[in-house]
Every structure is written in structure tokens, then in C-alpha cells.
Amino acid sequence: MSDYAVIGDWGTSNLRLFRVEAGRIVARRDGPGIGVVGREAESAFAETIAPWLEDGLPTSIRLCGMVGARDGWVEAPYADCPADADSWAEVAVRFDWRGAPLAIMAGLACTDADGIADVMRGEEAQIFGAMALDPRLATGRHLIVLPGTHSKWTLVEDGRVIRFRTVPTGELFALLRDRSTLSPNIAAADADPAEEAAGFAEGLERAGAGRLLASLFAARAMRLRAGRSADWALGYLSGLVIGCEIAEARAALAGDTGVVLIGDARLSDRYARALDAQGIASQSLDGDACARAGLGFLEN
């Protein structure tokens, strides 16, 4: 075997593999997400890692995310909350892949006070990674939020994930943007920044009243009757759904004042502005760095 290890975050949309040598990341390979390859995950993995295999097999492979879902490569179990990094790692699925030891990390599961089940896959690696990168997060009580298609509001206490709540805000926004009459089908990257920012601010203001359904149609009516632009409407819907997410999830996990955001910088910035509008302080951590730390790589 060659002297390198492979760690990777394999989500629904993307595969990110990192080659680790002597405690340093020396290369990266990207591939298709589990949502694209499904049951062909093993062959997709082999194709993505092929250039590295020319140097020999890795000493170990560790993967997290949707690779362990029912429709992924090999289904991994869920570790029940409260869970710390050790109890999470204990229930990983381990097997040999062409002679190299491979671990597919578990997800996390919890049940709220109303008996409603919730699950996550991949975000837990970022959460445990954040605590490894910043030991202050491993002591005391903290509220960690991972914005995304399915945002995760997670309560951690003394290094354990106590409970969490999933809010499908990103998925809802995409449906409203692409498949409803409320907003024109335009990408956020194509929107006029000033118009979109104005709409986002107004959406946040309307979200403060906590009336999501009653406020949605304004995205259309304000274009028809008040001269608002399509870019404004896009920002308005984003601000409205994010603002309502924060109001609802914050109430569900009451008792915490500050928030730690983990994820994409642009989306985290948007959440930071929305949190600030509701008087909530926040700090942001890079999602990829947290995932790598959760998989055992601590950058110097």
C-alpha cells in the first residue's frame, strides 16, 4: 500500500475526495453526487479515485454523507442522540474495498418531544469537526446551524449532539423560485444585487411577523401593483423563508442566544444578516474545513 489516506464528503449533489499524506491534504478530486449515481456509487468512486490508485491502494478510506443512505453505496445506521464523536464513529459501516479498509460514517437520529423523528447525514461530520477545530464548542451549550437545502438547527452540549431540527428552507425556496407563479424562474447569480438585497431586506421584515403563508403572495402582487422587479421578488422570497425559518427554529430550540453557522460562505452570510435582523449574534465556520476535521483531518 502507498502511504496516503482518503477522506470524503459524498452528498446528494457532489462528491469531494481529499488525499492526505503525512497529515497534509495534497490533492482533491470531485465527482458526481449520490443523487446522480445512486446504486452505481462504487463504480463512480473507483472512477473518481482512479488517478490516485495508480500509486497503489490508500491506507484507509473514510466517507460521510449520503453515501451511507438507503439509496447510496452501503447503508449505514443512525446513531441516536444524545451522541458524541466516539459513539458516532462506533456505528460506522466498515469493510474492505479492493483490500483497502473503508468506513462509511453513520448519520444521527433524534425524536422531538412530540414524537416526530428527525435524521441527518453528513452534517454531523461538520458538527463534530467544528468542535475539534474549536474546543470551546465542545464545552458548554451551543446552537449550531447548518444552512442548506435542508437546514439543521442543532443543540450541542459538552461535546454531544443533544437534539436537532430539520427545516427544508432551501428546497422550499427552489420550488417557489422554479415551479410557482410567485417568482420568475431566474437564478440568484443572475439577479441585480441591489434589487435582490432590497427584496431580501423586505422579506426579512415581513418574516418578523411570523406569517409565512400570508406573506408569500406579495412576491407576485408587489410586481404587478407596486412596480417591484423580478430580482426584488427573488430576494423577497429568500428573506421571507429564511426569516421565518429562524423565528420558528429558534423558538423550538429556545434558551440559546448566539448561533454558530457552518456552511457555504455566501449562504452563511445571508443567514448571518437574517439572524442579525432578529437580534441574534452569529459566527461562521467553513463547511469543508469542518467536514475534513470531522473525518479526522485537523489542518495546521
Side-chain angles (χ1 to χ4, degrees):
M1 286 190 180
S2 298
D3 192 17
Y4 74 95
V6 174
I7 58 175
D9 180 3
W10 202 345
T12 301
S13 303
N14 298 287
L15 166 62
R16 293 179 289 272
L17 295 176
F18 301 92
R19 176 169 171 153
V20 182
E21 295 181 9
R24 295 176 54 250
I25 289 178
V26 298
R28 170 174 170 163
R29 298 279 297 170
D30 294 306
I34 287 295
V36 176
V37 302
R39 289 299 185 182
E40 301 301 317
E42 181 177 3
S43 59
F45 177 78
E47 182 177 346
T48 304
I49 202 177
W52 297 347
L53 294 177
E54 294 177 3
D55 300 327
L57 288 170
T59 56
S60 65
I61 304 166
R62 183 178 293 184
L63 305 174
C64 70
M66 294 304 289
V67 61
R70 186 165 298 171
D71 296 325
W73 184 349
V74 175
E75 186 174 5
Y78 292 100
D80 289 322
C81 292
D84 59 16
D86 289 338
S87 60
W88 168 61
E90 283 175 4
V91 293
V93 171
R94 294 178 170 83
F95 57 93
D96 280 352
W97 181 73
R98 301 186 180 183
L102 189 152
I104 295 180
M105 305 306 291
L108 292 185
C110 70
T111 304
D112 69 15
D114 297 325
I116 303 300
D118 208 338
V119 295
M120 68 167 67
R121 281 199 186 276
E123 296 91 351
E124 72 291 325
Q126 294 178 312
I127 294 166
F128 291 126
M131 290 190 277
L133 289 172
D134 186 352
R136 292 172 298 179
L137 296 177
T139 59
R141 182 181 173 102
H142 304 275
L143 185 57
I144 298 179
V145 178
L146 298 98
T149 302
H150 299 151
S151 297
K152 305 292 183 180
W153 287 70
T154 310
L155 183 64
V156 301
E157 189 171 300
D158 294 330
R160 299 184 304 160
V161 175
I162 303 301
R163 63 180 184 273
F164 57 89
R165 174 159 293 188
T166 302
V167 188
T169 305
E171 183 171 358
L172 174 61
F173 173 72
L175 290 170
L176 292 170
R177 180 193 61 202
D178 300 335
R179 300 187 182 183
S180 80
T181 62
L182 300 180
S183 175
N185 186 356
I186 59 173
D190 298 327
D192 177 84
E195 282 288 299
E196 199 251 357
F200 185 76
E202 193 159 345
L204 289 180
E205 185 176 349
R206 291 290 292 268
R211 296 193 297 269
L212 175 61
L213 294 179
S215 301
L216 282 171
F217 194 71
R220 179 176 174 86
M222 292 293 279
R223 284 159 47 216
L224 295 172
R225 301 293 295 169
R228 297 290 196 268
S229 68
D231 300 331
W232 176 93
L234 189 72
Y236 172 83
L237 285 174
S238 177
L240 180 64
V241 296
I242 290 175
C244 286
E245 171 194 340
I246 290 169
E248 180 179 334
R250 182 191 183 193
L253 296 172
D256 300 274
T257 54
V259 166
V260 177
L261 294 167
I262 300 176
D264 168 77
R266 185 176 182 274
L267 187 56
S268 291
D269 177 69
R270 183 159 291 214
Y271 270 72
R273 284 185 281 148
L275 287 161
D276 183 66
Q278 295 192 31
I280 306 171
S282 66
Q283 68 176 97
S284 298
L285 299 175
D286 179 73
D288 282 349
C290 289
R292 293 192 294 266
L295 290 168
F297 176 76
L298 290 173
E299 289 140 306
N300 297 322

